Amino acid sequence: MRSLLTILKSKYEKLLIGGGLDKIEKHKEKGKMTAWERVVYLLDEGKPYTEIGIFAGDGMYSEHGGCPNGGVVVVMGYVKGRLCIIVSNDATVKAGAWFPITGKKTLRAQEIAMENKIPIIYLVDSAGVYLPMQDEIFPDKEHFGRIFRNNAKMSSMGIPQIAAIMGSCVAGGAYLPIMSDYALIVEGTGSVFLAGSYLVRSSIGEQIDNETLGGAITHTEISGVVDNKYPNDESCLDAIKNIIDKMGSSATAGFSRIDSRKPKVDIESLYNTLPIDRLKPYDMRKILEAIVDADSLEEYKKDYGKTLICALARIDGWAVGIVANQREIVKAKKPGGTQEMQMGGVIYSDSADKAARFIMNCNQQKIPLVFFQDVTGFMVGSRSEHGGIIKDGAKMVNAMANSVVPKFTFIVGNSYGAGNYAMCGKAYDPRLIYAWPTAQIAVMSGASAGKTLLQIQEAALKAKGVSLSEEDKKALLENIEKQYNEQLSPYYAAARLWVDGVIDPKETRKIISMGIEAANHNPDIPRYNVGVIQT
């Protein structure tokens, strides 16, 4: 774990320099703060925050020079004591241009603001769509245009939106700040227009410079498009703080919270709990004891369906329902006094049945759900199939998918196949989803996939009359496993926003607490209805 955390720290530190030190230097020569400096200046000192979309774009777009951190910093944190989402374009990465992953990350930020009904602040400094990849960011449903649709939807929902134009704001991107409740601009560096001076000249022959066309004076004194202008970044950010400071509060969802208590064991004990070998068993309860408030864990059906731990607990004072994969090998009693050995990390019929009932209880009682994944999938084989594992798995998926209380997911170890789905993977709308450095996410393990793919390729070659030697098979298997294992990495998942980031396990408790606090701002909880339950 400590070795993996060193890699995590090293990769994260690279994100802080954005497009590179030379780009930062040129950025600062214009009198501008960096994307991260703007965020830090806004955030309340000493209060916690969590970054959303950490490592977005990691290892992607190498042929275009890369897009570190997706070219945009997104943070959930406190501004003047109020929990907000902050979106800060990084102009050191391709002048803040929107890559496909930039759009996906910004949409994720808006999604979090919308489902939790918390304010969102846009610190705009972007050249607009990255033209060489316009076909992957411009026209589709979840592309660039969805941002402005969300601006309009959030306005109708009463969610505060504040935008600061701190650099370029071009073409369709001009709508984002102007569709916000407040639009502020920095003199000399901020500009906003549908078409820049070059395009105006080529389109209609008009000779005009960018500042006269769409600078601070133009839009605050002539067009009235922007509310107020400020001499520098700091004064503009101060104005945002002053606006946030005046906002009233709304009704809450009413999730239960009492005084926080520290966990029974130190969080760093987790570093020694998880085995290096992902096949070795361990007791998930030891991990939970380092995360939940001391003496708050109350297990549900402790002696039944043992490969899943279901428990009520408190985390930083907040009441939660926990669904976690147990990685120990357990004994399950069967009718007639017999016993069955059950493998840890596998979901059996009894554990799926238990989890479905527990999830329904939490929804009835307005208790947020937290999932800890280390799952290899559902049990296979004739015994399980004849026992109705698909039916019981469907019951669990149904109960979880229709859940109306906030859900939070942490991928501790394996996250394979349908187990990812049943344990609230990204497709099932967790409010936040993070991976530990030990996570592996794929349809199956690298070893299983390698052997399966080898058999398929071997059969295809055999049909063509080609037979493989044992040496050839070994080389082919190694090549398949190498490629597959790269895709198992939590950074591969984070790069594509299948998870909101890769984190040190020590961050888990803070993220859950902030996540529930954010969710508590939205009092609109629909009636729980699971539809047809498979029996």
Side-chain angles (χ1 to χ4, degrees):
M1 177 66 85
R2 293 187 189 279
S3 173
L4 290 172
L5 289 174
T6 300
I7 295 169
L8 172 63
K9 184 181 178 184
S10 174
K11 287 177 75 70
Y12 184 74
E13 284 173 350
K14 286 179 183 176
L15 295 184
L16 300 178
I17 60 171
L21 293 175
D22 57 330
K23 298 283 177 58
I24 290 175
E25 192 176 330
K26 288 177 183 176
H27 185 85
K28 285 184 165 293
E29 283 172 2
K30 299 174 185 175
K32 296 161 74 173
M33 301 168 77
T34 66
W36 255 114
E37 284 172 343
R38 290 165 177 167
V39 169
V40 171
Y41 190 91
L42 267 184
L43 291 171
D44 292 349
E45 192 175 348
K47 285 207 171 183
Y49 66 86
T50 184
E51 192 176 346
I52 310 293
I54 319 169
F55 304 114
D58 185 60
M60 297 169 67
Y61 314 120
S62 55
E63 67 277 23
H64 296 275
C67 185
N69 212 19
V72 60
V73 177
V74 176
V75 164
M76 181 166 71
Y78 298 89
V79 179
K80 287 291 184 176
R82 181 182 284 266
L83 202 53
C84 300
I85 294 290
I86 304 171
V87 181
S88 182
N89 295 116
D90 189 348
T92 69
V93 180
K94 289 287 193 295
W98 289 56
F99 280 71
I101 199 66
T102 315
K104 190 173 183 180
K105 185 169 176 178
T106 306
L107 285 169
R108 176 67 177 139
Q110 289 184 321
E111 178 185 36
I112 292 170
M114 291 168 81
E115 62 192 2
N116 295 301
K117 292 194 173 179
I118 58 176
I120 185 166
I121 300 166
Y122 308 102
L123 307 179
V124 186
D125 194 347
S126 171
V129 164
Y130 182 61
L131 290 177
M133 301 188 75
Q134 65 85 27
D135 62 318
E136 295 180 46
I137 178 62
F138 173 68
D140 209 348
K141 181 180 178 181
E142 298 294 332
H143 283 178
F144 193 56
R146 189 78 171 181
I147 304 291
F148 320 124
R149 174 265 188 194
N150 286 351
N151 285 142
K153 287 287 184 182
M154 279 191 275
S155 182
S156 72
M157 295 166 68
I159 297 169
Q161 299 177 81
I162 303 172
I165 301 160
M166 312 187 85
S168 298
C169 190
V170 185
Y175 285 106
L176 185 147
I178 310 311
M179 292 185 74
S180 298
D181 303 317
Y182 296 90
L184 318 177
I185 191 168
V186 179
E187 291 181 89
T189 55
S191 59
V192 55
F193 33 63
L194 292 181
S197 56
Y198 292 130
L199 184 55
V200 167
R201 189 178 308 151
S202 63
S203 299
I204 63 173
E206 182 183 359
Q207 298 278 348
I208 191 168
D209 63 87
N210 281 338
E211 186 63 29
T212 307
L213 181 66
I217 292 173
T218 295
H219 283 312
T220 56
E221 298 182 19
I222 300 172
S223 72
V225 164
V226 177
D227 304 338
N228 290 308
K229 60 181 181 291
Y230 301 88
N232 52 42
D233 283 9
E234 289 87 348
S235 58
C236 187
L237 295 170
D238 285 335
I240 292 174
K241 293 181 184 182
N242 285 333
I243 292 168
I244 291 285
D245 189 44
K246 310 301 184 298
M247 291 180 181
S249 58
S250 302
T252 64
F255 300 125
S256 172
R257 191 181 198 185
I258 61 173
D259 291 340
S260 175
R261 296 177 68 179
K262 287 184 179 179
K264 185 180 289 186
V265 298
D266 186 77
I267 194 76
E268 291 201 13
S269 69
L270 297 183
Y271 299 168
N272 302 316
T273 300
L274 285 168
I276 294 171
D277 184 348
R278 304 305 301 122
L279 296 175
K280 284 189 176 179
Y282 67 88
D283 188 355
M284 177 61 84
R285 289 184 185 87
K286 290 183 178 179
I287 286 178
L288 298 182
E289 284 177 356
I291 292 170
V292 306
D293 293 7
D295 302 319
S296 69
L297 199 72
E298 184 64 37
E299 278 201 57
Y300 175 77
K301 293 184 184 285
K302 183 179 179 180
D303 298 319
Y304 178 75
K306 295 179 185 177
T307 63
L308 276 178
I309 296 171
C310 296
L312 298 175
R314 289 193 180 272
I315 295 176
D316 196 24
W318 292 104
V320 296
I322 292 171
V323 181
N325 300 108
Q326 174 59 287
R327 282 300 305 269
E328 283 190 322
I329 296 170
V330 300
K331 291 179 181 178
K333 289 185 178 178
K334 295 296 174 184
T338 61
Q339 286 192 334
E340 175 188 55
M341 298 296 289
Q342 293 185 341
M343 292 181 287
V346 178
I347 301 175
Y348 290 77
S349 283
D350 54 357
S351 48
D353 186 60
K354 174 175 88 170
R357 172 70 179 272
F358 179 73
I359 290 166
M360 288 188 276
N361 278 357
C362 288
N363 274 273
Q364 291 277 53
Q365 294 142 22
K366 209 156 71 171
I367 303 171
L369 286 160
V370 183
F371 294 82
F372 290 94
Q373 290 194 13
D374 193 347
V375 58
T376 49
F378 285 86
M379 190 57 193
V380 297
S382 60
R383 186 171 179 177
S384 290
E385 299 291 2
H386 297 170
I389 184 66
I390 297 175
K391 172 189 67 180
D392 293 317
K395 189 188 303 180
M396 179 179 173
V397 170
N398 191 332
M400 181 275 303
N402 283 302
S403 182
V404 295
V405 294
K407 304 188 293 281
F408 303 90
T409 303
F410 294 86
I411 302 171
V412 172
N414 303 327
S415 180
Y416 297 152
N420 169 283
Y421 301 159
M423 294 293 292
C424 195
K426 183 64 184 286
Y428 292 85
D429 303 316
R431 296 289 177 101
L432 296 170
I433 176 170
Y434 285 89
W436 289 5
T438 43
Q440 293 188 338
I441 305 158
V443 72
M444 62 180 76
S445 71
S448 298
K451 289 169 186 172
T452 304
L453 290 167
L454 177 63
Q455 290 175 44
I456 292 168
Q457 290 194 26
E458 196 177 355
L461 290 168
K462 193 174 181 181
K464 295 177 183 178
V466 180
S467 59
L468 295 173
S469 66
E470 289 302 314
E471 213 171 89
D472 290 336
K473 287 181 189 177
K474 185 181 177 184
L476 187 57
L477 180 62
E478 284 177 359
N479 187 47
I480 291 169
E481 286 188 353
K482 182 185 176 185
Q483 183 182 359
Y484 197 87
N485 285 333
E486 285 175 5
Q487 296 176 1
L488 281 170
S489 164
Y491 298 103
Y492 190 90
R496 290 152 183 80
L497 286 174
W498 300 344
V499 295
D500 289 319
V502 183
I503 58 165
D504 186 322
K506 287 194 292 190
E507 300 285 296
T508 304
R509 186 174 154 89
K510 175 196 74 177
I511 289 170
I512 294 168
S513 179
M514 290 185 69
I516 299 175
E517 183 180 345
N520 202 37
H521 283 82
N522 185 354
D524 300 326
I525 302 176
R527 187 176 71 86
Y528 186 50
N529 180 12
V530 293
V532 178
I533 282 287
Q534 294 72 19
T535 58

